[in-house]
Amino acid sequence: MERNLAAVRVRIADACTSVGRSPDEVTLTVVTKFFPASDVRLLAGLGVTDVGENRHQEAEAKAAETRDLGLRWHFVGTLQSNKAAAVARYADVVESVDRAKLLTGLARGAAERGAELDCLVQVSLDPPGAGEGRAGVEPDGVLDLAERVAGTGGLRLRGVMGVAPLGGDPAAAFARLAEVAADVRRLDPEATWVSAGMSADLEEAVRAGATHVRIGSAVLGRRPTIK
Ligand SMILES: *Cc1c(COP(=O)(O)O)cnc(C)c1O
């Protein structure tokens, strides 16, 4: 794990150097889904500050087990509206805000916790007409949703998140995400985060301006079960 983590940090640094960015501009979030809380603890010992999860029950349990570590928890999965409040009680960042219906629950959870919740609007990067794609709001709906997030008490709009389409060109997808991110920043100058890039495409994401990369398998190895 230590070796993998070091290799990922080198990849991030090299990608930054190739476009004249500083590695300090990129936060590494290690996605720990399917791996036990004991691994989260090891990661914290190796200097990891941000961890991500995509399923509520698993995330809630692991966050509770490792509360003493002071990690930042990123929720990166599809969110059911009836779970939104519960997620906001332990997550520091919800990266997968993809519809207005989630906002009331997220705000309620944040209020119960007594902390502002950082939110990213998840942008669909699938080509138009791809049919049932992955989660995320279509680019032309992003500003409307971003405005609603920014206007909801207890929620802080921090930027956008995207997942490159399977089989597509990640550089092109992340270029589209960068355009949307710039529009969101014009709406709210504090919304500077761009979460893009996973194990297979972190270089393309960093080159396109990602401020956050979400890395699972390159650090933890192959996940124990198929997602
Ligand atoms: C699992 C997951 C990741 C990490 O994927 P790897 O390919 O293992 O690096 C990143 N983002 C999201 C939304 C995920 O669900």
Side-chain angles (χ1 to χ4, degrees):
M1 198 186 284
E2 186 168 11
R3 214 169 39 234
N4 289 347
L5 194 58
V8 164
R9 287 190 171 130
V10 167
R11 285 175 63 191
I12 294 170
D14 286 350
C16 284
T17 304
S18 75
V19 289
R21 299 182 68 198
S22 160
D24 302 344
E25 294 172 30
V26 180
T27 300
L28 167 62
T29 300
V30 179
V31 180
T32 50
K33 64 190 184 206
F34 293 98
F35 288 92
S38 54
D39 282 348
V40 174
R41 200 164 280 285
L42 288 174
L43 288 166
L46 296 170
V48 168
T49 54
D50 290 70
V51 288
E53 287 284 337
N54 71 339
R55 293 177 189 212
H56 162 58
Q57 279 192 332
E58 184 182 347
E60 183 179 50
K62 269 185 240 178
E65 277 178 70
T66 58
R67 191 166 294 144
D68 58 301
L69 301 174
L71 293 163
R72 292 181 59 79
W73 286 86
H74 296 241
F75 191 84
V76 302
T78 305
L79 193 48
Q80 292 171 257
S81 32
N82 63 351
K83 299 281 163 57
V87 167
R89 282 186 213 112
Y90 61 83
D92 301 287
V93 188
V94 173
E95 299 201 6
S96 42
V97 177
D98 62 357
R99 56 202 193 282
K101 211 179 158 197
L102 300 172
L103 303 184
T104 314
L106 291 174
R108 180 154 42 85
E112 282 163 11
R113 183 173 171 187
E116 277 213 313
L117 177 68
D118 287 334
C119 293
L120 303 182
V121 171
Q122 182 171 356
V123 182
S124 169
L125 299 178
D126 293 311
E132 278 304 292
R134 301 220 205 159
V137 62
E138 292 298 323
D140 64 4
V142 171
L143 282 183
D144 179 59
L145 181 55
E147 227 166 352
R148 287 167 189 253
V149 173
T152 302
L155 304 185
R156 186 150 55 141
L157 177 68
R158 295 310 303 254
V160 295
M161 182 270 247
V163 178
L166 279 173
D169 171 14
F174 295 143
R176 289 201 298 282
L177 183 63
E179 281 176 29
V180 176
D183 291 341
V184 170
R185 244 181 349 258
R186 273 189 286 277
L187 178 83
D188 183 344
E190 282 187 18
T192 56
W193 295 9
V194 183
S195 173
M198 313 191 347
S199 294
D201 53 24
L202 78 84
E203 284 83 1
E204 287 88 345
V206 168
R207 282 190 222 117
T211 62
H212 291 68
V213 292
R214 309 176 307 271
I215 309 299
S217 49
V219 172
L220 289 156
R222 198 194 288 249
R223 282 181 276 281
T225 26
I226 306 296
K227 196 187 148 194

